[in-house]
Amino acid sequence: MNTDLIIQLAYYTAAILFILGLKRMSSPKTATSGVKLAGVGMLIAIAATFFFPAMHNLLLILLAILIGTIIAWLGAKKVAMTGMPEMIAMYNGMGGGAAAAIAAIELFSLLANSDAKMPITTFALAVIGALIGSISFTGSILAFFKLRDWLKNVYFPWQQVINLAVLAFAITFGVIFYFHHTLPIFILFFATSLLYGALMTMSIGGADMPVVISLYNAFTGLAVACEGFVINNVAMIIAGTIVGAAGTLLTILMAKAMNRSLMNVLFVRFDGSKCCGTVSGTTKSMEIPDAAIMLNYVTKVIFVPGYGMAVAQAQQKVWELANLLLEKGIDVKFAIHPVAGRMPGHMNVLLAEAGVPYDYISDMDEINDDFQNTDIVIVIGANDVVNPAAKTDKTSPIYGMPILNVDQAKQIFVIKRGKGRGYAGIENLLFFNKNCHMVYGDAKQVVAHMIQTLKEQK
Ligand code: NDP
């Protein structure tokens, strides 16, 4: 068998494993095996690359793989569940940057060798991939800084016009480069493309970040697919297309879950500090043992987990409390909002980790009508996803985002540490409802205390 055939077979095998892996990732039950399958596919694709006859600089490549593996391995081992979105943003950026780097090498070869020719379609794909990959690279890095809270939103006059002008310059330099292979044009093309990624992300914030991260994911996939065509690499074309398509679908679903159009997310300024009607009334707090005792007199309880549960790592304790209620014959459910936490599926992952069976977990659409018939809803570190301002306050930045109808329950306990706001940085009207009580403290400690109280009563 010749080497080319072996390489192509390996690439198709890798592509099949990527597809099967992705399919399995769609359910929490099979997700772990899906990740492993896709990982094996990637290993096969990397190994096949070494069989290319023209491959050289093997030592440098192996060194790069070694350094990358060590950093990724240690990073993934160390990262807390709450740091996952930042890590995803960073890896996304690296993928986009790698695609742009491939394009840079291909385009630079036109500069370095005046006899080199590139068909116009290949050139166009190289430039499009370079543009999208560069945007994803700087955009994702900025998203990383924002998620880490190292960077605030940046606004300046004529922002959208300036942003669009920079994008128009990037496209123009890309086109000019086809006719004039000169170093200044090459540099200007990449500089404006990278700058646009940063500018685009600067003003996006608040609750819109999940949509943007997902969009950059799609961008990285598309950039990789484009460069796959340029260097004629089947594995890159298939993997890039899969990531591009999955990322695009996820972006649409996330935007839909927040009732926002993509244009609105990208171009409408989000500023939590300059919004929202005044809130009248006061919040009421309740002591932990009192809240626990009330659980003895109910028939139906819904738990609503949010980002705070992830911070506190309270999922095991919450499931322990749910089990105590189940033993008492109480009907227990967990309600999950699509953007609860800091990444898609964040709450599903935590609850699965704690061993909560899937039958107890419901999506927002499934459970939203049940709240009105629920005796007590226990909100654990959730805030934006239960804020009724999304339904009632037209000036609110989250107005229009579907929320969990927690406010309709007979009684609500909100477990949080203090007066901290949610990701969108706005006041939560729910906390001022007459049927709502704040149970202050770290989620894990509060739930542990509730469990202790219930057990002592037995
Ligand atoms: P929020 O970010 O709205 O609120 C979290 C709440 O948890 C805070 O009000 C905080 O209050 C409380 N909290 C923090 N630590 C603890 C702790 N140890 N114990 C108890 N409570 C704690 O969370 P939601 O899940 O409701 O909403 C998610 C938000 O994040 C949405 O706005 C969404 O758009 C955004 N987002 C989602 C992403 C995704 O893909 N899912 C990605 C990026 C952003 P206090 O400080 O008082 O304790």
Side-chain angles (χ1 to χ4, degrees), residues 364-444:
M364 180 172 67
D365 293 340
E366 279 167 3
I367 204 162
N368 245 355
D369 290 338
D370 286 8
F371 285 105
Q372 54 192 338
N373 306 318
T374 303
D375 301 303
I376 292 183
V377 170
I378 307 181
V379 176
I380 305 143
N383 194 334
D384 294 342
V385 300
V386 295
N387 190 346
K391 290 192 274 191
T392 55
D393 184 356
K394 285 196 173 151
T395 62
S396 170
I398 62 165
Y399 181 72
M401 173 172 110
I403 55 150
L404 290 164
N405 292 333
V406 169
D407 52 327
Q408 296 175 357
K410 291 176 193 150
Q411 180 87 35
I412 306 143
F413 295 156
V414 177
I415 302 175
K416 70 201 291 285
R417 296 165 306 178
K419 310 265 181 228
R421 295 187 170 191
Y423 190 78
I426 53 173
E427 192 56 84
N428 193 329
L429 304 186
L430 176 75
F431 305 162
F432 298 85
N433 264 19
K434 61 176 186 326
N435 54 347
C436 180
H437 282 91
M438 313 300 290
V439 186
Y440 288 119
D442 171 78
K444 193 171 179 177

Side-chain angles (χ1 to χ4, degrees), residues 99-352:
I102 292 173
I105 290 166
E106 292 301 311
L107 294 172
F108 195 81
S109 68
L110 295 175
L111 253 181
N113 177 3
S114 54
D115 295 334
K117 289 267 174 292
M118 198 185 264
I120 185 153
T121 39
T122 313
F123 177 85
L125 285 168
V127 166
I128 293 169
L131 177 70
I132 302 174
S134 303
I135 294 173
S136 179
F137 177 62
T138 42
S140 300
I141 288 176
L142 239 79
F144 171 85
F145 284 125
K146 283 187 157 192
L147 286 168
R148 276 266 154 128
D149 245 345
W150 290 346
L151 197 77
K152 295 284 165 222
N153 291 352
V154 179
Y155 302 111
F156 50 83
W158 297 90
Q159 191 158 18
Q160 297 307 341
V161 178
I162 293 170
N163 289 3
L164 285 177
V166 172
L167 177 63
F169 274 121
I171 295 169
T172 311
F173 289 131
V175 174
I176 295 176
F177 189 72
Y178 184 72
F179 301 102
H180 302 284
H181 303 331
T182 64
L183 189 61
I185 300 291
F186 177 86
I187 293 173
L188 280 170
F189 166 66
F190 275 100
T192 43
S193 303
L194 291 166
L195 178 63
Y196 180 70
L199 287 173
M200 184 175 148
T201 323
M202 265 179 191
S203 61
I204 302 172
D208 288 339
M209 228 38 190
V211 186
V212 177
I213 294 168
S214 168
L215 181 71
Y216 286 142
N217 188 19
F219 276 11
T220 294
L222 287 178
V224 168
C226 286
E227 299 316 324
F229 277 110
V230 174
I231 61 170
N232 205 6
N233 185 308
V234 176
M236 278 173 69
I237 297 172
I238 299 178
T241 312
I242 295 170
V243 174
T248 307
L249 283 175
L250 186 61
T251 308
I252 294 168
L253 286 174
M254 301 278 276
K256 212 170 131 204
M258 301 172 79
N259 203 19
R260 310 258 280 142
S261 73
L262 197 52
M263 288 299 139
N264 196 274
V265 168
L266 296 179
F267 300 117
V268 176
R269 177 177 170 158
F270 181 104
D271 189 356
S273 62
K274 289 205 179 82
C275 82
C276 313
T278 46
V279 187
S280 58
T282 49
T283 56
K284 299 176 286 298
S285 61
M286 189 180 267
E287 294 302 319
I288 302 169
D290 295 340
I293 288 164
M294 284 188 71
L295 292 171
N296 284 311
Y297 308 105
V298 296
T299 53
K300 183 167 179 168
V301 170
I302 299 182
F303 288 94
V304 174
Y307 176 64
M309 185 181 85
V311 176
Q313 285 294 294
Q315 59 274 19
Q316 310 277 358
K317 284 284 160 206
V318 172
W319 178 225
E320 203 179 319
L321 175 62
N323 268 315
L324 276 181
L325 302 182
L326 286 167
E327 279 169 24
K328 290 175 188 287
I330 297 168
D331 178 7
V332 171
K333 282 262 182 280
F334 289 81
I336 300 201
H337 190 282
V339 297
R342 289 292 183 271
M343 64 174 183
H346 200 168
M347 294 303 120
N348 299 77
V349 173
L350 293 181
L351 294 182

